Amino acid sequence: MSDSNHDHSADAASSTQQEYFAKRQLKQGAVGWLLLVGLGVAYVISGDFAGWNFGLAQGGWGGMFIATLVVAIMYLCMCLSMSEMATMLPTAGGGYSFARTAFGPLGGYLTGTATLIEYAIAPAAIACFIGAYCESLFGVGGWIIYLICYLVFMGIHLKGAGEALKIIFVITAIAAVALFVFIIAMAPHFNSANLFDIAVTENTGASSFLPFGYIGIWAAVPYAIWFFLAVEGVPLAAEEAKDPTKSVPRGLIGSMLILAAFALLILFLGAGAAGANLLKDSGAPLVDALIAVYGQNTWLASFVNFVGLAGLIASFFSIIYAYSRQIFALSRAGYLPTALSLTNKNKAPYLAIIIPGILGFLLSLTGEGDLLILMAVFGATISYVLMMLSHIKLRLSRPELHRPYKTPGGIITSSIALVLALIAVVAGFVVDPKVWFMAAGIYVVFIAYFVFYSRHKLIQGTPEEEFEAIRQAEKEL
């Protein structure tokens, strides 16, 4: 009798578990590798249109140039390392899944929530820049623009992933055209003297190349990160990708190479034609650069302003996708309230889309785009440190795992990214300690939630848990 009772309760538990996951399904096979390259570029392309130039005010052109090179190396090493982990663990959790497998539930949670701080705050910063672009185009900016952005784009995401990513791809392609137009328009007017027109300070190591001295390189790092911030979100689409073992590495590395080319061309030609001093505090640097070179009423400036809006919208739109998938994975596993991972009839996690959108809208009302960038960079750099540690740990402790893609250079590559990410964490503190502590405060609240509550509520049977169970079984054999 007791045996049959035991079987019955096991069946009941299993069917409850099936029912739980049935309500939390994403749409499989909705995304090919080309859409993933588009997604990687879309996450980041707004950084080419606004935000990066604040680095000129921190480090001068030379400081920003060195910072951009260093940050590009960090991201390239990181993308190579993440490609390996994403093909081992193709789940919607991205970095959280990697750290969960390497360091257990706490490691996963710390990584997932750091990424969440980045993705929930970045759209608020971008909303501020969209407001500035709309102000210069239509004379209307501010909260009404922020609200329209959040309502329209959350609405499209509720329609489902395939549709959202195709729209993102088209908007991103249009924005890339604006960048090409800008680059071609600026090239004939390039003059290297313009790069060094910021007044030299008394700081240690100051020169016309580094007007703010050596410290300026350090302080420019968070703004150099803005050229690439969120490209690491590509693996979040792994559960919805066709053949993730091939498409995720192509998506990550392809988008990274495109972004590095754009970053360097814009940094050289924008400042080289219009002057670094002119752009260092601009809310719409590409538009201001074109006006400086071609005069006030030029069709070029209007075109780049109008289409630049597409670039800002592409990033805004795609990072909503990223935060919703990150919350979906954390909630499905019980780290965050499980209601957040419920999906609608279009297989879109609706509460994971709506709730952070409301919080982001409230943050955008501050209008402080440059400070919101720093908060987003804080979350990002913490997650990079944890993800690179995960790569090293999995290489050492789990060499037998199937790795369809292997990181060139192995642990050396992830160690380079790790050291540079640690430098980047400190760089945010150098620029503005107050903002850094605010972001750290949010992180501490998340950690407290886990320590006192959610670690007792974790769900069995998530992709990460399954992976762990297989590992335990193999160990016992």
Side-chain angles (χ1 to χ4, degrees):
M1 176 66 194
S2 63
D3 275 1
S4 67
N5 272 350
H6 176 80
D7 290 349
H8 186 73
S9 62
D11 289 349
S14 149
S15 77
T16 313
Q17 194 179 34
Q18 280 171 350
E19 196 181 319
Y20 177 84
F21 288 113
K23 293 178 181 163
R24 292 165 171 80
Q25 292 286 324
L26 297 171
K27 195 168 170 184
Q28 310 285 320
V31 189
W33 73 269
L34 198 63
L35 277 182
L36 288 181
V37 172
L39 178 65
V41 175
Y43 281 144
V44 190
I45 198 165
S46 65
D48 291 319
F49 287 96
W52 62 270
N53 52 301
F54 299 131
L56 297 171
Q58 296 290 338
W61 189 84
M64 183 60 182
F65 173 65
I66 294 170
T68 302
L69 283 183
V70 170
V71 165
I73 292 166
M74 175 184 86
Y75 272 96
L76 191 57
C77 290
M78 194 167 80
C79 286
L80 293 169
S81 306
M82 287 189 71
S83 294
E84 174 175 300
M85 296 190 289
T87 58
M88 281 162 51
L89 295 163
T91 76
Y96 138 71
S97 306
F98 313 151
R100 167 78 185 76
T101 307
F103 297 113
L106 178 62
Y109 182 79
L110 289 175
T111 309
T113 45
T115 309
L116 196 51
I117 290 170
E118 168 191 356
Y119 289 156
I121 294 177
I126 297 166
C128 296
F129 299 135
I130 292 174
Y133 268 71
C134 285
E135 183 82 56
S136 73
L137 264 178
F138 315 116
V140 182
W143 71 269
I144 189 81
I145 297 292
Y146 310 156
L147 183 64
I148 291 168
C149 281
Y150 273 105
L151 289 177
V152 169
F153 296 116
M154 291 193 309
I156 297 173
H157 276 295
L158 294 171
K159 283 278 185 227
E163 289 62 33
L165 291 184
K166 284 177 190 126
I167 295 168
I168 287 170
F169 192 83
V170 172
I171 299 174
T172 307
I174 294 168
V177 169
L179 293 180
F180 278 120
V181 167
F182 175 81
I183 288 162
I184 292 161
M186 286 297 173
H189 298 275
F190 177 82
N191 176 354
S192 59
N194 291 335
L195 301 174
F196 312 119
D197 64 353
I198 293 176
V200 180
T201 62
E202 299 291 304
N203 294 356
T204 311
S207 64
S208 59
F209 182 69
L210 292 174
F212 300 98
Y214 301 130
I215 191 83
I217 302 171
W218 193 274
V221 164
Y223 300 101
I225 286 174
W226 196 241
F227 268 137
F228 305 101
L229 183 85
V231 70
E232 78 283 355
V234 171
L236 294 172
E239 271 182 51
E240 291 155 283
K242 296 176 190 133
D243 192 7
T245 55
K246 289 201 177 72
S247 57
V248 173
R250 283 179 187 170
L252 263 171
I253 297 160
S255 50
M256 184 55 216
L257 295 174
I258 292 169
L259 291 164
F262 274 143
L264 290 170
L265 283 165
I266 285 164
L267 187 57
F268 266 93
L269 296 173
N277 197 45
L278 177 90
L279 301 184
K280 70 180 196 292
D281 302 314
S282 167
L286 303 196
V287 178
D288 287 347
L290 285 164
I291 289 171
V293 173
Y294 288 95
Q296 189 62 48
N297 299 319
T298 159
W299 70 268
L300 272 170
S302 308
F303 174 77
V304 170
N305 196 346
F306 199 74
V307 183
L309 207 50
L312 292 168
I313 287 169
S315 293
F316 181 82
F317 188 25
S318 54
I319 294 174
I320 292 178
Y321 174 83
Y323 76 55
S324 67
R325 293 321 184 259
Q326 188 69 63
I327 290 176
F328 169 82
L330 288 169
S331 153
R332 179 175 65 180
Y335 290 99
L336 296 177
T338 50
L340 291 172
S341 54
L342 290 169
T343 48
N344 64 13
K345 64 180 195 304
N346 302 321
K347 307 274 192 234
Y350 55 96
L351 290 174
I353 291 170
I354 294 166
I355 290 171
I358 295 169
L359 296 172
F361 169 67
L362 295 174
L363 278 174
S364 69
L365 296 177
T366 62
E368 301 278 357
D370 52 342
L371 298 184
L372 290 168
I373 286 180
L374 285 178
M375 290 177 81
V377 166
F378 170 87
T381 50
I382 297 277
S383 76
Y384 300 166
V385 168
L386 293 166
M387 286 191 285
M388 293 306 98
L389 286 171
S390 304
H391 182 269
I392 295 165
K393 170 82 163 42
L394 289 170
R395 269 293 180 99
L396 297 175
S397 65
R398 308 293 306 280
E400 81 290 351
L401 286 177
H402 178 54
R403 291 171 164 80
Y405 173 90
K406 283 198 155 161
T407 305
I411 290 179
I412 295 171
T413 304
S414 44
S415 300
I416 293 169
L418 171 65
V419 170
L420 295 176
L422 285 165
I423 290 170
V425 171
V426 182
F429 182 78
V430 170
V431 178
D432 193 330
K434 183 171 100 266
V435 174
W436 195 90
F437 278 121
M438 276 161 59
I442 297 170
Y443 196 36
V444 168
V445 171
F446 269 123
I447 294 168
Y449 176 79
F450 176 80
V451 170
F452 296 114
Y453 181 76
S454 74
R455 71 193 170 102
H456 307 295
K457 304 279 182 189
L458 299 184
I459 304 289
Q460 299 301 309
T462 63
E464 298 77 26
E465 292 275 348
E466 291 287 313
F467 197 78
E468 192 54 34
I470 293 165
R471 185 176 85 94
Q472 289 300 341
E474 282 171 354
K475 214 169 171 182
E476 282 157 23
L477 282 173

